[in-house]
Amino acid sequence: MGRASFPDGFHWGTATASYQIEGAWDHDGKGESIWDRFTHTPGRIRSGDTGDVACDSYHRGDEDIALMREMNLNSYRFSLAWPRILPAGSGEVNSKAIDHYRRFVDALLEAGIRPLPTLYHWDLPQALEDRGGWPERDTAGRFADYADACMRALGDRVDQWSIFNEPAIFTLMGYLVGIHAPGRQDLDAFLRATHTVNLAQAEAFRAMKAARGDARIGTAFSMSPCEPGGDDEADAEAAERWHAFVNLWFLETALHGRYPDAFVEGVPFERMGVRDGDMDLVRAPLDFLGINLYTRTAVQHREGAGWGLDAAHVGPLGETGPRTHFGWEVWPDALYDMVMRITRDYDRPVIEITENGCSYADGPDARGRIEDRERIEFFRGYLAALARAIEEGADVRGYHAWTLLDNFEWAEGYEQRFGLAWVDFEYPERPRTLKESGRWYAEVAAENGFDT
Ligand code: FCB
């Protein structure tokens, strides 16, 4: 038997997002977000679910914090709702929202939990989407104003921040695939959105540093190691292009001021709306890199596929792992491989695992216990892989399980349960129950490791 152990001072936490848990969608002066509009449009979300109530965390923050304490956690990654703070996207700040988040952050600090807010976890104010949304360059400036407002409101008590959550996913799903808000399917809009988001990331970084120079600021990137899904040299090259696009498109820009080599015919600067001087503007020397990781990705070369990448994301590889309820492959080495690659390629940056987790449907048994053994196995595997990466030199400072509570899982509504605590969505006012995985995680956090 060995032991997976973690460095002293390691941060153990969970991650959530405003729209997925807060509910209170129109309370205290909150403006409409693109997710409010999207979920209120028939046919968009499985079973017609919405985040109108969700876990009602807007009103139940103390219960959320009690669960974190029960799990011995010392970090919490959550997101601020832009349309609460600036209901029209820009202009007047809503003081009720500021008071709310101040109270919540103070309660976290009181409980010995580091607040790690994310500025943007996908709930764009609808007013800004009405003016063009992320494909519109002007949105970058609005976002920097919002970032500045957040820092002014909370910078006296929050030391560490994440700018975006998964820029590669929300631009792709929202503007090209169309299964996330705002539900558009337009390649040019998508390409432009990626550039605006890169500008926004760096402008927000500068605005926040100007307001508080010693704040530590990063972004939570979606990442997945890309492996060739075939034996040809062309498959290996396609996997590298896919890696460049899905993992690095918002990272190479920030750290090196360039777009990576993802497109066969070169970066489509014109279609993306890139102007002279922009490659200096997108630079942001992030203080840490957040990694959200769930599984690995197999890629094959295929002409004309992948919007000019000549690469296609294919099904699982020969030797495949078990599947979660969502159908995602359980592959712990994905976390090791990705962390090691980023550690090598970016000269050992400070890393935080900002999300990692799995969906399983288990609910309470006759005694009210939730025996989610597969989730415990999932975390055992991924955390052991992470411990190995740290032992081999990766500078990983924290780990955030996705997620604290079962919650609104975007297009899937309440069907996919990722929580360490179970929520009764039929009777949302009932108390939440820690699953067995939550109890297991509590021990890991208390002991800063576990026997493997
Ligand atoms: C990530 C999202 C998060 C959650 C998990 C399952 O892509 O950041 O909000 O939906 O997937």
Side-chain angles (χ1 to χ4, degrees):
M1 198 166 62
R3 189 160 174 87
S5 46
F6 293 82
D8 286 345
F10 195 74
H11 277 106
W12 292 101
T14 59
T16 60
S18 48
Y19 188 75
Q20 294 181 276
I21 65 164
E22 280 183 352
W25 78 279
D26 59 353
H27 292 206
D28 285 350
K30 177 179 163 293
E32 188 188 17
S33 80
I34 56 173
W35 273 95
D36 295 317
R37 178 70 60 92
F38 195 64
T39 58
H40 294 159
T41 307
R44 291 301 205 171
I45 309 295
R46 181 191 281 266
S47 312
D49 290 343
T50 74
D52 290 2
V53 177
C55 309
D56 200 22
S57 287
Y58 186 74
H59 297 114
R60 295 173 72 172
D62 290 343
E63 281 173 70
D64 290 356
I65 293 173
L67 283 173
M68 296 174 215
R69 293 189 68 147
E70 211 178 322
M71 287 192 279
N72 305 310
L73 303 180
N74 60 3
S75 181
Y76 183 46
R77 175 173 175 252
F78 60 103
S79 79
L80 306 173
W82 185 351
R84 276 193 204 288
I85 293 176
L86 294 162
S90 59
E92 198 86 9
V93 171
N94 172 14
S95 62
K96 282 193 177 156
I98 301 294
D99 291 346
H100 166 79
Y101 287 123
R102 277 196 184 134
R103 274 196 307 274
F104 182 65
V105 163
D106 288 346
L108 285 171
L109 292 169
E110 183 79 13
I113 298 167
R114 170 189 68 167
L116 174 52
T118 299
L119 296 182
Y120 185 80
H121 200 130
W122 306 358
D123 39 1
L124 184 72
Q126 180 64 41
L128 293 184
E129 177 58 28
D130 293 343
R131 284 192 254 149
W134 287 111
E136 165 61 49
R137 188 181 173 97
D138 195 46
T139 304
R142 302 292 68 74
F143 183 70
D145 294 344
Y146 161 61
D148 176 65
C150 292
M151 186 58 96
R152 280 173 201 284
L154 297 167
D156 59 345
R157 55 201 92 187
V158 172
D159 302 326
Q160 190 161 342
W161 300 76
S162 167
I163 299 173
F164 281 117
N165 179 70
E166 300 193 349
I169 300 294
F170 78 76
T171 50
L172 182 76
M173 299 301 239
Y175 292 96
L176 183 61
V177 181
I179 65 167
H180 284 182
R184 290 165 63 179
Q185 292 180 320
D186 174 343
L187 180 58
D188 282 295
F190 161 62
L191 291 172
R192 282 200 311 279
T194 70
H195 187 56
T196 309
V197 168
N198 265 310
L199 291 165
Q201 174 168 259
E203 282 183 37
F205 182 87
R206 284 188 287 274
M208 293 169 88
K209 287 282 184 180
R212 186 178 159 188
D214 66 345
R216 276 167 292 127
I217 304 172
T219 279
F221 300 99
S222 50
M223 290 205 176
S224 177
C226 300
E227 305 176 15
D231 297 332
D232 272 18
E233 182 51 32
D235 295 322
E237 286 167 10
E240 278 305 289
R241 286 196 297 278
W242 196 269
H243 164 70
F245 195 60
V246 300
N247 294 328
L248 307 181
W249 201 249
F250 300 88
L251 179 57
E252 267 297 289
T253 43
L255 298 189
H256 295 153
R258 61 180 285 270
Y259 279 103
D261 295 323
F263 291 89
V264 179
E265 298 192 357
V267 179
F269 288 109
E270 209 166 305
R271 290 180 83 175
M272 289 164 62
V274 178
R275 297 184 188 163
D276 279 354
D278 278 4
M279 298 322 292
D280 289 325
L281 292 179
V282 296
R283 279 180 188 268
L286 302 172
D287 299 302
F288 72 95
L289 307 183
I291 295 183
N292 290 5
L293 182 139
Y294 290 86
T295 191
R296 64 175 172 168
T297 302
V299 183
Q300 278 173 0
H301 173 246
R302 208 169 287 167
E303 217 128 319
W307 342 287
L309 308 184
D310 281 10
H313 176 187
V314 291
L317 303 172
E319 184 202 349
T320 62
R323 299 295 173 130
T324 68
H325 185 51
F326 218 142
W328 298 356
E329 188 190 18
V330 179
W331 200 260
D333 274 349
L335 188 54
Y336 171 85
D337 291 343
M338 197 74 243
V339 166
M340 291 313 282
R341 173 140 200 200
I342 294 296
T343 294
R344 276 194 305 275
D345 293 356
Y346 288 91
D347 200 14
R348 199 168 180 264
V350 172
I351 292 173
E352 295 251 359
I353 305 305
T354 32
E355 280 181 29
N356 173 234
C358 52
S359 151
Y360 290 106
D362 311 278
D365 63 16
R367 291 169 308 160
R369 283 163 69 96
I370 298 125
E371 300 268 9
D372 55 339
R373 293 214 180 83
E374 290 159 308
R375 182 172 285 102
I376 297 177
E377 280 315 299
F378 179 99
F379 283 123
R380 287 185 75 87
Y382 281 73
L383 282 169
L386 183 63
R388 197 150 48 89
I390 294 172
E391 209 178 280
E392 292 176 24
D395 188 1
V396 183
R397 307 285 176 92
Y399 175 89
H400 300 80
W402 182 270
T403 178
L404 178 64
L405 304 160
D406 293 336
N407 62 38
F408 177 82
E409 177 49 39
W410 311 115
E412 295 295 313
Y414 295 98
E415 167 70 18
Q416 299 296 335
R417 291 178 177 269
F418 278 87
L420 290 167
W422 191 79
V423 176
D424 188 340
F425 291 110
E426 252 175 83
Y427 301 98
E429 63 286 353
R430 290 191 178 160
R432 295 72 168 270
T433 321
L434 269 197
K435 301 178 185 177
E436 289 309 298
S437 57
R439 294 183 203 287
W440 179 82
Y441 192 53
E443 278 171 41
V444 174
E447 291 165 18
N448 212 22
F450 59 95
D451 291 332
T452 53

